[in-house]
């Protein structure tokens, strides 16, 4: 329950002539985390077709991106050379790229047409023919500039006495178009560079003839382009119907072949054999050995290696609890040689979260929001996994809400049960604070016990004993406080507990060395769990205040009712968001800081088997 | 309006001060951690979890203030 899967490091020696099929065998089994072999032999290298596979994969992936998505039928995996032959001969890929190139060219042309149409619009009604703007002795330029700047601009040009002709046309409230005709040898560029106007491109080959002729051409050509774009869309759709499925199959097969080809760089080799090293879960090793022996006809040899290396971490848990593992990984993966505390996190986080929310209404709303997020997000992403944890924890919030008799701040238990629940704002505060302290003492004690086990296993005897003395300090200290302040024990027991706590503290300081400063944490960390009361209390008080001030009633008319209802909903929503955020953050924090700091090292390496999750092909 | 005795009033003020002290201390600490945390997230967005955890660390100060306030109010019979 608290252990990661035991691992064995193995070395596989097999005939080089059978390498591709043995790699495929290992890939299909997906049980070995292959590492770079450390044996002093020649390095192996990827197969010769690695480059070709890579290029084909890029080509197929690119083609698939251009096709509309279609359902994919599964296909049987092809052998490398057959796959390369099939993909290389798949003529439709070139047709797809050709259609895409045509589409890109038409889009470019359309952009130029739009720009030319706009320029023609500026010149409409000016009497200018674009064909006449080609001359050996004259130059023509047009600019866009703010209307307010036209006179300054013209003044500067007239002062330079370089213009032969000019047209000013206001094209909007604030902007004007300025057309200039001047002798080619006129010194105009110096004046223009000082004024920084926006030049209109008159060199487009589309600008031929009168502005209205250009506009007609632009409209006609754009319509033709629109038609052709529709045609291309149709052709790509048709290609998608026939090619999407096989191309998806090929992409997956190419990815698999590339993985298989690339893994050789971790191998070593001799003239006749190749050597693979890696980690295999102990439980699966015998079956793997038997299967490999049968597959190779007894020509392979699996040797179990004795090593000091830290094995990778593999945890096995029911699928619906995987999001908790995801959060653990997000924080830090447990090392394979230490206790895996995920089960404690799985149990305690929903309790802390539920206790801090303690409202049936907020719990139900959390459940709905979390469910919506899980449906809208990617299963592999952080949001999905956080939402799944939130979803499971919302059930606890509903349960604690019932125990606290809180329904959006209202008390409703009396309508269906005689159980009136905890009174957070009155008589139950004492009990709740003791309960949260009990949570704290239990979890910190468990953390110290785990710390003892971890250190004992690693041979750190002194630190292991200091964890036990720390545990004694926490437990005896708690008993002494309970006896002194809450009269939980007779004075004799209280005094004995206090004395033992003092002795434990001295022993802890003596044993911990530089870590003795952590002693204060043994007091503050259990106390830190009272935040469960603090955040729960704040949430409940705020919801009661909202109910007191803004519960809508019809006594002052429908308008008042509607107004109060909106405020009521908005404020409860804000309080709920605040409570949920604090519930999640504080629930995680109590585990990761107060609990884990007593024993957890983390930074484990995830078990990463050589495998591929097939989606559109079969082995 | 309920009238409370002088001792209860002083206890209530004491409880308020306990919370206020914790809140001010937490605020000062969180302002520094928060800005540093945002800097980290800007560089490495995947570190948001760690940044958030560090941000909530000093809230312990406020919690201690809260616990003291509750204990004062319980012993004064206010709640």
């Amino acid at each position: 329950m608290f252990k990661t899967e035991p691992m064995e490091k193995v070395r596989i020696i097999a005939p080089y002539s059978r390498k591709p099929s043995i790699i495929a065998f290992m890939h299909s089994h997906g049980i070995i985390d292959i590492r770079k072999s450390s044996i002093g032999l020649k390095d192996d290298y990827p197969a010769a077709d690695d480059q070709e596979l890579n290029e084909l994969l890029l080509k197929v992936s690119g083609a698939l991106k251009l096709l509309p998505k279609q359902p994919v039928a599964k296909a049987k995996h092809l052998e490398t050379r057959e796959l390369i032959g099939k993909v290389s001969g798949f003529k439709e890929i070139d047709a797809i790229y050709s259609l895409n190139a045509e589409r890109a060219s038409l889009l470019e042309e359309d952009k130029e047409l739009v720009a030319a149409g706009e320029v023609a619009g500026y010149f409409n009604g000016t009497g200018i023919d674009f064909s006449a703007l080609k001359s050996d002795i004259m130059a023509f330029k047009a600019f866009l500039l703010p209307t307010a700047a036209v006179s300054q601009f013209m003044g500067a040009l007239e002062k330079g006495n370089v213009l032969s002709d000019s047209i000013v046309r206001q094209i909007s409230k604030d902007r004007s178009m300025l057309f200039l005709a001047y002798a080619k040898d006129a010194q105009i560029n110096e004046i223009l560079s000082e004024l920084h106007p926006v030049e209109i491109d008159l060199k487009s080959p589309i600008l031929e003839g009168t502005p209205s002729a250009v506009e007609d051409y632009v409209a006609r050509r754009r319509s033709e382009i629109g038609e052709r774009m529709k045609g291309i869309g149709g052709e790509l759709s048709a290609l998608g119907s026939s090619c999407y499925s096989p191309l998806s199959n090929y992409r997956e097969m190419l990815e698999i072949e590339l993985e298989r080809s690339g893994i050789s760089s971790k191998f070593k080799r001799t003239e006749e054999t190749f050597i693979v090293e890696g980690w295999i879960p102990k439980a699966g090793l015998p079956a793997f050995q038997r299967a490999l022996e049968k597959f190779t006809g007894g020509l392979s040899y699996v040797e179990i290696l004795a090593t000091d290396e830290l094995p990778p971490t593999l945890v096995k848990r029911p699928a619906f609890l995987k999001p908790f593992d995801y959060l653990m990984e997000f924080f830090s993966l447990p090392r394979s040689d230490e206790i895996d505390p995920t089960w404690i996190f799985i149990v305690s986080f929903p309790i802390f979260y539920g206790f801090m929310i303690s409202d049936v209404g907020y719990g139900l709303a959390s459940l709905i929001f979390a469910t919506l997020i899980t449906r809208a997000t990617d299963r592999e992403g952080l949001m999905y996994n956080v939402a799944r944890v939130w979803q499971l924890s919302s059930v606890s919030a509903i349960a604690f809400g019932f125990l606290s008799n809180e329904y959006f701040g209202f008390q409703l238990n009396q309508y269906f049960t005689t159980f009136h629940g905890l009174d957070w704002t009155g008589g139950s505060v004492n009990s709740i604070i003791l309960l949260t302290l009990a949570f704290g003492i239990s979890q910190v004690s468990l953390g110290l016990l785990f710390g003892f086990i971890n250190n004992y296993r690693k041979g750190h005897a002194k630190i292991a004993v200091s964890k036990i003395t720390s545990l004694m300090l926490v437990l005896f200290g708690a008993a002494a406080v309970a006896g002194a302040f809450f009269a939980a024990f007779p004075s004799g027991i209280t005094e004995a507990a206090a004395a033992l706590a003092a002795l434990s503290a001295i022993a802890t300081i003596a044993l911990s060395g530089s870590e003795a400063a952590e002693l204060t944490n043994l007091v503050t960390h259990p106390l830190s769990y009272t935040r469960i009361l603090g955040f729960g209390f704040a949430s409940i008080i705020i919801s009661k205040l909202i109910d007191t001030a803004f519960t809508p009633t019809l006594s002052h008319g429908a308008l008042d009712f509607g107004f109060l209802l909106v405020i009521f909903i908005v404020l409860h929503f804000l309080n709920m968001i605040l409570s949920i955020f604090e519930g999640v953050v504080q629930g995680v924090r109590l585990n990761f800081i107060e609990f884990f700091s007593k024993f957890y090292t983390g930074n484990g390496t995830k078990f990463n088997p050589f495998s591929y999750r097939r989606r559109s092909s079969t082995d | 309006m309920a009238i409370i005795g002088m001792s209860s009033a002083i206890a209530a003020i004491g409880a308020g001060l306990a919370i206020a002290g914790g809140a001010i201390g937490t605020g000062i600490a969180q302002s520094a951690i928060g800005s540093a945390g945002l800097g980290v997230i800007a560089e490495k967005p995947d570190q948001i979890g760690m940044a958030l955890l560090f941000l909530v660390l000093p809230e312990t100060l406020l919690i201690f203030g809260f616990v003291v306030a509750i204990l004062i109010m319980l012993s004064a019979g206010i709640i």
Side-chain angles (χ1 to χ4, degrees):
Chain A
M1 191 175 187
F2 297 117
K3 280 172 118 179
T4 58
E5 288 291 307
M7 295 277 165
E8 290 283 14
K9 187 156 193 194
V10 295
R11 178 178 293 147
I12 301 166
I13 303 166
Y16 203 83
S17 57
R18 301 275 316 264
K19 190 175 91 166
S21 63
I22 293 172
I23 290 176
F25 171 86
M26 290 191 295
H27 203 218
S28 304
H29 268 69
I31 198 173
I32 179 165
D33 183 348
I34 296 175
R35 302 294 169 92
K36 178 97 181 162
S37 174
S38 53
I39 198 166
L41 290 170
K42 234 172 26 174
D43 283 337
D44 196 8
Y45 40 80
D49 39 27
D50 198 59
Q51 179 70 20
E52 198 174 0
L53 286 167
N54 218 342
E55 281 166 13
L56 288 175
L57 177 61
L58 283 174
K59 202 172 163 185
V60 171
S61 301
L64 274 169
K65 276 189 186 150
L66 299 172
L67 294 177
K69 281 195 174 175
Q70 300 285 339
V72 178
K74 289 197 171 184
K76 191 158 171 51
H77 191 88
L78 301 174
E79 181 270 326
T80 316
R81 288 316 308 171
E82 190 186 354
L83 176 65
I84 289 174
K86 286 258 185 196
V87 178
S88 304
F90 203 92
K91 296 291 173 217
E92 287 85 347
I93 295 178
D94 293 334
I96 293 165
Y97 278 110
S98 160
L99 283 169
N100 186 53
E102 187 185 351
R103 183 164 58 182
S105 151
L106 288 174
L107 280 172
E108 190 57 37
E109 187 186 344
D110 191 62
K111 227 161 89 179
E112 286 169 14
L113 285 165
V114 169
E118 209 175 325
V119 173
Y122 299 153
F123 283 85
N124 230 338
T126 58
I128 283 179
D129 188 321
F130 291 114
S131 310
L133 301 184
K134 294 174 180 71
S135 163
D136 292 334
I137 51 167
M138 293 295 288
F140 307 95
K141 278 187 191 272
F143 302 96
L144 285 177
L145 68 169
T147 303
V150 170
S151 54
Q152 181 205 353
F153 197 87
M154 288 302 291
L157 290 169
E158 279 162 15
K159 204 169 155 191
N161 199 23
V162 292
L163 290 185
S164 296
D165 200 0
S166 65
I167 298 171
V168 177
R169 186 165 180 225
Q170 191 165 351
I171 55 172
S172 69
K173 196 180 161 203
D174 303 320
R175 276 200 319 168
S176 290
M177 189 274 290
L178 180 63
F179 173 74
L180 308 174
Y182 54 94
K184 269 198 170 162
D185 54 359
Q187 300 299 309
I188 193 168
N189 287 342
E190 208 170 297
I191 302 168
L192 292 176
S193 65
E194 284 171 19
L195 297 168
H196 309 297
V198 177
E199 186 170 355
I200 296 169
D201 180 17
L202 296 177
K203 293 190 178 69
S204 166
I206 301 163
L207 295 173
E208 281 292 335
T210 62
S212 58
V214 171
E215 281 181 325
D216 288 345
Y217 172 76
V218 166
R220 196 177 61 250
R221 183 66 192 136
R222 289 197 73 204
S223 161
E224 286 168 9
I225 288 174
E227 285 301 312
R228 181 63 195 132
M229 291 292 272
K230 274 187 204 160
I232 291 173
E235 284 176 54
L236 282 172
S237 281
L239 280 168
S241 304
S242 61
C243 304
Y244 192 86
S245 182
L247 283 177
S248 295
N249 301 143
Y250 292 150
R251 178 175 58 186
E252 185 165 301
M253 291 176 206
L254 286 165
E255 283 171 352
I256 291 169
E257 287 303 318
L258 257 176
E259 266 191 24
R260 290 178 178 177
S261 164
I263 199 71
S264 300
S265 57
K266 292 185 177 175
F267 299 170
K268 298 281 183 179
R269 63 168 296 182
T270 62
E271 284 302 312
E272 301 294 332
T273 61
F274 71 101
I275 293 105
V276 186
E277 286 180 15
W279 293 96
I280 295 184
K282 209 170 181 174
L285 180 58
F288 176 78
Q289 268 178 303
R290 279 196 302 274
L292 183 64
E293 201 174 311
K294 194 175 164 196
F295 182 75
T296 58
L299 292 174
S300 62
Y301 173 68
V302 179
E303 179 190 0
I304 297 171
L305 301 175
T307 175
D308 294 334
E309 282 176 56
L310 183 69
T313 303
L314 172 67
V315 287
K316 282 191 176 165
R317 237 178 289 285
F320 78 101
L321 293 174
K322 286 281 173 199
F324 285 96
D325 283 314
Y326 189 93
L327 283 192
M328 284 292 291
E329 271 177 50
F330 191 66
F331 176 67
S332 184
L333 192 71
R335 282 161 56 109
S336 53
D337 62 347
E338 67 180 351
I339 285 177
D340 170 19
T342 314
W343 272 110
I344 304 293
F345 177 59
I346 290 170
V347 173
S348 63
F349 176 79
I351 292 175
F352 297 158
Y353 175 84
F355 212 164
M356 277 185 267
I357 303 289
S358 283
D359 190 298
V360 174
Y362 289 178
L364 275 173
S366 305
L367 189 62
I368 293 166
F369 283 130
T371 307
L372 290 175
I373 293 172
T374 55
R375 291 190 179 176
T377 49
D378 170 27
R379 279 177 169 266
E380 304 298 320
L382 175 67
M383 274 308 287
Y384 174 85
N385 286 286
V386 169
R388 284 286 292 148
V389 171
W390 183 23
Q391 197 180 29
L392 295 169
S393 305
S394 299
V395 178
S396 155
I398 295 169
F400 275 103
F402 171 74
L403 288 176
S404 304
N405 192 11
E406 293 289 334
Y407 299 77
F408 289 112
F410 294 109
Q411 277 67 55
L412 303 179
N413 274 9
Q414 66 271 23
Y415 295 112
F416 55 91
T417 173
T418 52
F419 176 69
H420 293 300
L422 298 167
D423 179 11
W424 281 75
T425 55
S428 302
V429 174
N430 217 346
S431 311
I432 296 171
I433 205 166
L434 286 175
L435 191 58
T436 57
L437 281 170
F439 280 151
I441 291 165
S442 313
Q443 213 174 23
V444 168
S445 301
L446 191 60
L448 290 167
L449 190 63
F450 284 175
F452 163 74
I453 296 168
N454 278 346
N455 283 292
Y456 178 75
R457 275 189 195 160
K458 289 177 190 169
H460 304 154
K462 209 170 159 187
I463 300 175
V465 177
S466 82
K467 295 288 178 186
I468 290 295
T469 56
S470 298
L471 177 61
M472 286 165 65
L473 171 59
V474 170
L475 295 177
F476 288 129
V481 170
F485 294 97
F486 301 97
F489 305 109
S491 61
I493 294 179
T494 305
E495 284 161 13
L500 285 169
L503 280 174
S504 306
I506 294 165
T508 305
I509 292 168
L511 291 164
S512 306
S514 61
E515 288 182 17
E518 293 290 311
L519 200 68
T520 52
N521 287 341
L522 298 177
V523 180
T524 58
H525 281 180
L527 272 179
S528 186
Y529 284 72
T530 53
R531 72 185 59 232
I532 296 170
L533 166 68
F535 288 104
F537 189 76
S539 168
I540 285 170
I541 290 285
I542 293 171
S543 66
K544 284 190 188 306
L545 283 173
I546 297 167
D547 293 347
T548 307
F550 301 105
T551 300
T553 59
L554 282 167
S555 57
H556 293 94
L559 194 67
D560 274 14
F561 178 84
F563 181 65
L564 285 173
L565 184 65
V566 171
I567 295 180
F568 180 83
I569 291 170
V570 168
L571 290 180
H572 266 299
F573 182 74
L574 290 176
N575 186 37
M576 188 181 78
I577 296 293
L578 197 67
S579 307
I580 288 168
F581 177 75
E582 287 299 345
V584 171
V585 170
Q586 303 299 339
V588 169
R589 175 232 155 96
L590 285 174
N591 276 286
F592 287 178
I593 292 170
E594 272 77 1
F595 178 44
F596 285 10
S597 63
K598 306 291 171 293
F599 64 96
Y600 197 64
T601 309
N603 280 332
T605 314
K606 195 177 178 183
F607 177 70
N608 186 19
F610 177 54
S611 65
Y612 190 94
R613 196 161 59 88
R614 288 180 186 269
R615 297 175 305 272
S616 63
S617 63
T618 54
D619 212 353
Chain B
M1 184 186 288
I3 297 171
I4 61 169
M6 179 59 81
S7 57
S8 294
I10 291 170
I13 291 168
L17 286 174
I19 289 274
I24 291 166
T26 300
I28 292 168
Q30 282 193 327
S31 65
I33 298 170
S35 58
L38 280 175
V40 171
I41 296 166
E43 292 279 334
K44 293 181 179 173
D46 57 312
Q47 291 296 309
I48 187 168
M50 291 305 282
L52 210 57
L53 268 181
F54 280 114
L55 181 68
V56 298
L57 270 182
E59 281 171 9
T60 308
L61 295 174
L62 177 56
I63 296 301
F64 292 156
F66 174 76
V67 171
V68 170
I70 290 278
L71 291 176
I72 291 172
M73 291 196 289
L74 279 172
S75 58
I78 299 172
I79 55 171

